[in-house]
Each structure stands twice: as structure tokens, then as C-alpha cells.
Amino acid sequence: CACASFPDFTEMMRALGYPRLISMENFHTPNFSLVSEVLLWLVRRYEPQTDIPPDVETEQDRVFFIKAVAQFMATKAHIRLNTKKLYQADGYAVKELLKVTSVLYSAMSTKGVERAELSEEDSSKFKFDLGSKIADLKAARQLASEITSRGASLYDLLGKEVELREARAESIARPLEINEAEKVVKIAIDSVLEQVQKTKDMLNNVALDEASLEAKIEKRKVELERSQKRLETLQSVRPAFMDEYEKVEEQLQKQYSSYLEKFRNLTYLEQLLENDRQTEQEMLEVSPEM
């Protein structure tokens, strides 16, 4: 039965310093949130700086999380996990979790610390930090790879030493010609002076561009001030025929008010007339019957 692994698993997790208490009831039904939390905690015990995303909200996120943890354990700790059982998140997942906790627990036990005699205060002092060991292993592998590449490069260079030794001896034995040395130095000086002149020309061009831009900016400022003054002048001048326009507008407003009043009266009278017609029609329809 998968539940037979629970006592060992819970005791190992407690000894490893897991902050929460785990019981058999937690895994009687699928509990993916707890399984993912335990997996992430165990992974970080191996490597604290792991970049496995903790998101398990959607089904795709849970599948990606389980695959990432299984790949990490297979690569870093050489532990093969059954992803289907882990995804079930029930009692069968405990067997897979026990594979990881057993390795961590056995590693902690090799320190010579008896699990039964450790108090909570003592256990915090003797926690096995495998993350630092993995970091050291990575550094050692990187150094080994670098040493190999440097050794191969050194081997190739040493293979050319026979030819280089003769060329070096020939160059040393050759007498130093002052004229040739002066010529080479002069060429180098001319090259440096040419670069200096190019740099000065670039600086001069920058200064000219800066002066041109400042002149354009100043011109735009003058045009802006002129436009603002013109706008203020136009706003202060009262248009021609404005007085007559205002009088006509006032008369139009009065005419409109009068129109509205007459329209309402006309509508009211028409409604009264229509009511009288309907009454008269009704009386004509009733009188023949009488």
C-alpha cells in the first residue's frame, strides 16, 4: 500500500526541517497544492537559487511544474521520478517524494547526527545544505572544462614552438637598424596625429552644428513671440458691425420667444377644436339611435 510510506516520509520531512506538519490525512485525496509545495521545498534544498516557476493554477502550469521538477532531479541529483504518480498528488505520490527525502535524509545522517536526539534548535544547526555542494560541483566542472580547453590550446602552441624558436632566434640575431626603427615610429606618430586631427574636425563640426541649432531656436522664439503678439491684438480688436449683430441677435431672441408662445397657443387651440369635433361626432352618432 502506498500509505505504508507515510510514517517514514513524515519523519524524514520533520527531520529535514520542513516548516509544516504532514499527516496521512493530507494525501487520502489528491492534494496537488501540498505536493507542489513539498516538491519546490525539496528542490530548493538541493539548489536554493533554482528558477522553477511555482505557478500551479492551471492544468498546463501543473504539467510544466512536474516536468521541470522531474528534469531537475534527474539532472542534478540523478533521481528518476514518476511524473504520472506525482501528478496524481495522492498516496502514490508519496513514494516518489520519498525518493528525494531519502537521499537528503541519508546525506544529513552521514554527518554523524542522530535524528532521534536532535532537538528543534539542534536540527537547525545540522541541516544538510546540498545547494552549496552542487554549486561547488558546478564550479569544479567549469574549471575542468576551462583547464581542458587551455591545455589543448597550450598543446597546439607548443607544437609550433620549433618553428617559432628559429624565427625568434633569427629576429634576435638580426642587428637593429636605427633608420628602420625611426621610420616605423614616424609612421605610428603620423597615424596618431591623423586620428587627432580627425577628432578635432569632428569637434569643430559639432560646435558649428550647435551654433546653427541655437540660431534656429532663437529665430523660432522670435517668430513665436511675434505670433503671440498678433494673436493678442486680434483678440483685443472688436469686429466691425458687432453692435448691429448683437442688436439683431437680441431681436431674434425676442421673436423666437414670441414664436414659441404662439406655437404653444396654436397647438392648444387645435387640440380643443379636435376635442369639440370628436364630441360633436359622438353626439351625431348617438342621436339617430334615439
Side-chain angles (χ1 to χ4, degrees), residues 115-173:
R115 176 169 55 89
E117 297 178 356
L118 283 178
S119 62
E120 294 182 359
E121 182 179 358
D122 295 333
S123 64
S124 62
K125 298 179 182 178
F126 294 98
K127 287 178 181 177
F128 182 76
D129 187 6
L130 193 59
S132 61
K133 301 297 182 183
I134 294 178
D136 295 340
L137 180 59
K138 285 183 176 180
R141 288 179 177 176
Q142 184 176 359
L143 288 175
S145 176
E146 186 175 354
I147 290 172
T148 303
S149 62
R150 295 289 180 88
S153 177
L154 180 60
Y155 178 80
D156 293 338
L157 293 175
L158 290 176
K160 300 177 181 178
E161 174 61 18
V162 178
E163 300 177 0
L164 294 176
R165 187 186 301 117
E166 296 177 357
R168 185 170 58 250
E170 183 179 355
S171 298
I172 294 173

Side-chain angles (χ1 to χ4, degrees), residues 37-191:
E37 181 181 345
V38 172
L39 281 173
L40 190 60
W41 187 82
L42 292 173
V43 167
R44 287 176 177 171
R45 292 282 294 178
Y46 273 95
E47 187 172 346
Q49 303 299 327
T50 182
D51 57 351
I52 295 178
D55 298 332
V56 291
E57 296 181 359
T58 63
E59 180 180 355
Q60 185 177 2
D61 293 337
R62 291 193 290 270
V63 172
F64 179 79
F65 176 81
I66 292 296
K67 288 183 177 180
V69 171
Q71 184 177 2
F72 174 85
M73 287 299 175
T75 304
K76 304 295 183 181
H78 302 288
I79 299 175
R80 185 176 180 181
L81 299 176
N82 191 319
T83 55
K84 293 183 179 179
K85 292 183 179 179
L86 285 176
Y87 191 81
Q88 291 177 4
D90 53 8
Y92 291 98
V94 176
K95 287 187 176 182
E96 304 303 315
L97 296 174
L98 192 61
K99 295 178 182 179
V100 184
T101 54
S102 300
V103 175
L104 288 173
Y105 183 76
S106 61
M108 186 182 70
S109 299
T110 56
K111 295 290 184 178
V113 181
E114 295 293 336
R115 176 169 55 89
E117 297 178 356
L118 283 178
S119 62
E120 294 182 359
E121 182 179 358
D122 295 333
S123 64
S124 62
K125 298 179 182 178
F126 294 98
K127 287 178 181 177
F128 182 76
D129 187 6
L130 193 59
S132 61
K133 301 297 182 183
I134 294 178
D136 295 340
L137 180 59
K138 285 183 176 180
R141 288 179 177 176
Q142 184 176 359
L143 288 175
S145 176
E146 186 175 354
I147 290 172
T148 303
S149 62
R150 295 289 180 88
S153 177
L154 180 60
Y155 178 80
D156 293 338
L157 293 175
L158 290 176
K160 300 177 181 178
E161 174 61 18
V162 178
E163 300 177 0
L164 294 176
R165 187 186 301 117
E166 296 177 357
R168 185 170 58 250
E170 183 179 355
S171 298
I172 294 173
R174 184 187 304 168
L176 181 61
E177 297 181 1
I178 302 298
N179 295 332
E180 185 177 353
E182 290 179 352
K183 183 178 180 181
V184 173
V185 171
K186 185 178 180 181
I187 293 174
I189 293 174
D190 292 340
S191 177

Side-chain angles (χ1 to χ4, degrees), residues 8-55:
D8 294 337
F9 175 69
T10 54
E11 291 297 328
M12 288 181 184
M13 290 295 292
R14 187 180 297 109
L16 290 172
Y18 186 67
R20 292 177 53 185
L21 295 177
I22 303 175
S23 63
M24 296 175 62
E25 286 76 9
N26 296 128
F27 296 95
H28 280 172
T29 58
N31 191 349
F32 194 87
S33 60
L34 179 59
V35 171
S36 63
E37 181 181 345
V38 172
L39 281 173
L40 190 60
W41 187 82
L42 292 173
V43 167
R44 287 176 177 171
R45 292 282 294 178
Y46 273 95
E47 187 172 346
Q49 303 299 327
T50 182
D51 57 351
I52 295 178
D55 298 332

